[in-house]
Amino acid sequence: MTRDNYQLRPELFIGESRFQGPFKEPLAESSRFENAGNQGISNYLTSLLREAGELKASDIHLEIQRKRGRIRFRIDGVMQDRYRYPVDLVRGIISRIKILAELDITSTRKLQEGSLTNEVNSSEDIRVSIIPTIYGEKAVLRILSSNSKLFKLEELGLTDNCLELARKIFSASQGLILLSGPTGSGKTTTLFAALEELNSELLNIVTLEDPVEIRLGGVNQIQVNTAAGEKFDSYLRAVLRQDPDIIMVGELRDYETASMAVRAALTGHLVLSTLHTTSAAGAVTRLIEMGLPAFLIADTLRGVIGQRLIRCYCSLCSGRGCSCCNNTGFLGRTGIQEVLKIGPELINLIQKESNCRTIEEKAVEQGFIRLEEDGLKKAKEGMTSTAEIRRVL
């Protein structure tokens, strides 16, 4: 086997990761790969993309450490070591990625972003982020599928009570509805599940997204290229002149966008969006911190759904670990949620600019179920482990 056609082969790798997933470390010495040709590097990249697809990884991380290069996958929300390669080989793969993404290959000391088409799966796009570290460049490939599954609300792990409450919130004719949680908590998936239920020929639905991850027939979806300087609030102003009934804004990232969204909700539109907060009640205080008047929030906010994604036990091995779940004991994910419906008493607290703890305590008196309670209930039912709930929360 020559250097140029060297391919990833499972039988050539050994190792066990402390992250409950195997990593594979080449047995050969670094010198074997120092002068790998373009075809060899291309084969490595192709094999990585193929393996990431088979394992349903959402991200590929290529990192330069002090003595070795490291490649990790994010699978079901958890980072897993996959390969330890010679530094020169990882640098070569990163250079190949930069060429395909049309980035500046001569510069290794600046931030770069781009995209490329997945040559293994043409229905997937890959967003590329390059940052300089003390040992060299790090590349992260975010895999985005244009064929992402469109879930129904009842498929997202909502308990019966939470599902009923969520549907009541989404049935509002106007106002602001928010999904809260960190990056990767499934907020966009939930938003589109709601849009699917609301979708009708009688309504003009417009979305503003960056990027467009899920395609929904009958909905006018707009890609906002923030990397090129485009702004959500500018598009939102234009959309309001398009006679919309429902507007979905991918994220309220700044005061300008949040202010426009609230004003759109105040003038008779139903606005759906997301916020990066740790709890549903925290979304209220986050809006106030962004500079929005409390009385406007109280007048427009209809509800907030806070959520996380937890890994489920593998059904084939019951959590013991097998080849199907990559020896992790987990396969697939579901949601844990808390649904905060804004009623008269909470409106009064919002107008007073009460803190999130006060709002949450009042909601609990009215039957509000916190994320932790929902998670522990699912662990008790045997869907996952209490350790997984602690990890996520």
Side-chain angles (χ1 to χ4, degrees):
M1 185 181 299
T2 66
R3 293 173 180 166
D4 287 353
N5 66 8
Y6 186 89
Q7 304 233 5
L8 301 181
R9 288 170 50 197
E11 65 267 28
L12 294 181
F13 303 95
I14 59 172
E16 194 67 26
S17 169
R18 60 188 176 91
F19 297 102
Q20 293 185 310
F23 72 78
K24 303 163 185 177
E25 186 163 1
L27 299 178
E29 295 298 325
S30 302
S31 59
R32 176 167 185 169
F33 308 102
E34 285 176 354
N35 299 311
N38 291 336
Q39 186 60 45
I41 294 296
S42 180
N43 287 342
Y44 271 102
L45 179 57
T46 299
S47 297
L48 284 173
L49 294 175
R50 182 176 294 110
E51 183 179 9
E54 292 170 353
L55 295 176
K56 295 181 172 57
S58 61
D59 302 84
I60 303 174
H61 292 242
L62 298 98
E63 306 167 344
I64 305 296
Q65 303 292 302
R66 185 175 182 179
K67 295 182 178 180
R68 279 290 179 97
R70 178 172 65 171
I71 296 178
R72 299 191 289 171
F73 290 175
R74 187 175 294 279
I75 302 172
D76 285 340
V78 177
M79 295 287 282
Q80 293 185 12
D81 277 21
R82 297 304 300 172
Y83 297 101
R84 300 291 177 86
Y85 283 150
V87 168
D88 288 343
L89 179 58
V90 176
R91 285 197 180 115
I93 297 173
I94 292 175
S95 294
R96 177 62 180 166
I97 290 168
K98 291 170 71 174
I99 291 172
L100 294 175
E102 298 182 354
L103 303 179
D104 184 0
I105 195 172
T106 64
S107 175
T108 60
R109 300 303 306 168
K110 69 178 183 180
L111 306 175
Q112 297 193 62
E113 292 186 357
S115 62
L116 55 92
T117 300
N118 189 344
E119 60 186 39
V120 175
N121 186 345
S122 60
S123 67
E124 293 179 344
D125 289 326
I126 298 175
R127 303 191 84 185
V128 179
S129 173
I130 307 286
I131 61 172
T133 73
I134 59 173
Y135 294 119
E137 290 179 298
K138 172 180 176 177
V140 176
L141 310 184
R142 167 62 60 89
I143 302 171
L144 303 171
S145 175
S146 59
N147 295 325
S148 296
K149 180 182 178 182
L150 185 62
F151 289 88
K152 299 182 182 297
L153 278 175
E154 60 267 24
E155 297 176 325
L156 301 180
L158 288 155
T159 61
D160 291 341
N161 289 340
C162 286
L163 179 61
E164 181 182 357
L165 198 55
R167 284 190 164 130
K168 285 182 181 179
I169 292 172
F170 286 121
S171 67
S173 59
Q174 64 182 67
L176 176 65
I177 300 171
L178 296 174
L179 270 291
S180 71
T183 300
S185 59
K187 301 185 296 294
T188 301
T189 299
T190 301
L191 278 182
F192 271 89
L195 284 177
E196 170 68 3
E197 289 202 2
L198 297 172
N199 196 7
S200 165
E201 293 181 355
L202 303 177
L203 297 173
N204 176 22
I205 303 176
V206 183
T207 73
L208 302 175
E209 307 170 66
D210 179 28
V212 174
E213 297 182 36
I214 302 172
R215 285 170 169 76
L216 182 58
V219 171
N220 302 285
Q221 296 179 258
I222 299 172
Q223 171 88 40
V224 180
N225 189 355
T226 54
E230 296 178 353
K231 296 184 178 181
F232 275 89
D233 59 304
S234 299
Y235 272 89
L236 188 48
R237 286 190 183 89
V239 166
L240 288 174
R241 295 190 287 270
Q242 289 277 316
D243 186 30
D245 296 294
I246 299 174
I247 305 169
M248 193 276 271
V249 182
E251 182 185 345
L252 300 185
R253 304 184 181 188
D254 48 49
Y255 168 78
E256 289 76 17
T257 305
S259 177
M260 284 297 301
V262 167
R263 294 184 186 282
L266 197 64
T267 54
H269 306 89
L270 182 62
V271 181
L272 314 180
S273 191
T274 70
L275 266 181
H276 285 181
T277 59
T278 57
S279 66
V284 176
T285 53
R286 176 72 182 117
L287 290 175
I288 293 173
E289 288 169 358
M290 293 174 82
L292 296 177
F295 74 90
L296 278 183
I297 300 171
D299 284 348
T300 56
L301 190 61
R302 298 293 176 260
V304 185
I305 299 176
Q307 71 176 64
R308 301 288 192 279
L309 291 177
I310 57 169
R311 295 179 297 168
C312 298
Y313 282 136
C314 174
S315 59
L316 297 178
C317 65
S318 301
R320 292 186 299 272
C322 63
S323 59
C324 186
C325 64
N326 199 29
N327 294 316
T328 64
F330 296 95
L331 186 63
R333 290 190 289 178
T334 191
I336 56 174
Q337 296 91 357
E338 56 184 19
V339 182
L340 183 67
K341 190 175 187 297
I342 307 298
E345 294 187 17
L346 295 187
I347 288 174
N348 184 46
L349 290 177
I350 294 171
Q351 289 172 335
K352 295 177 180 178
E353 297 190 18
S354 300
N355 60 43
C356 60
R357 177 173 292 183
T358 302
I359 293 171
E360 188 173 281
E361 288 174 352
K362 175 58 68 175
V364 169
E365 291 177 12
Q366 300 172 349
F368 175 72
I369 298 174
R370 294 186 176 98
L371 279 171
E372 185 177 9
E373 296 174 66
D374 188 45
L376 292 176
K377 180 177 183 294
K378 284 167 180 166
K380 188 176 180 179
E381 292 171 350
M383 295 176 61
T384 188
S385 67
T386 54
E388 175 67 5
I389 301 302
R390 288 196 299 268
R391 180 189 69 82
V392 171
L393 294 180

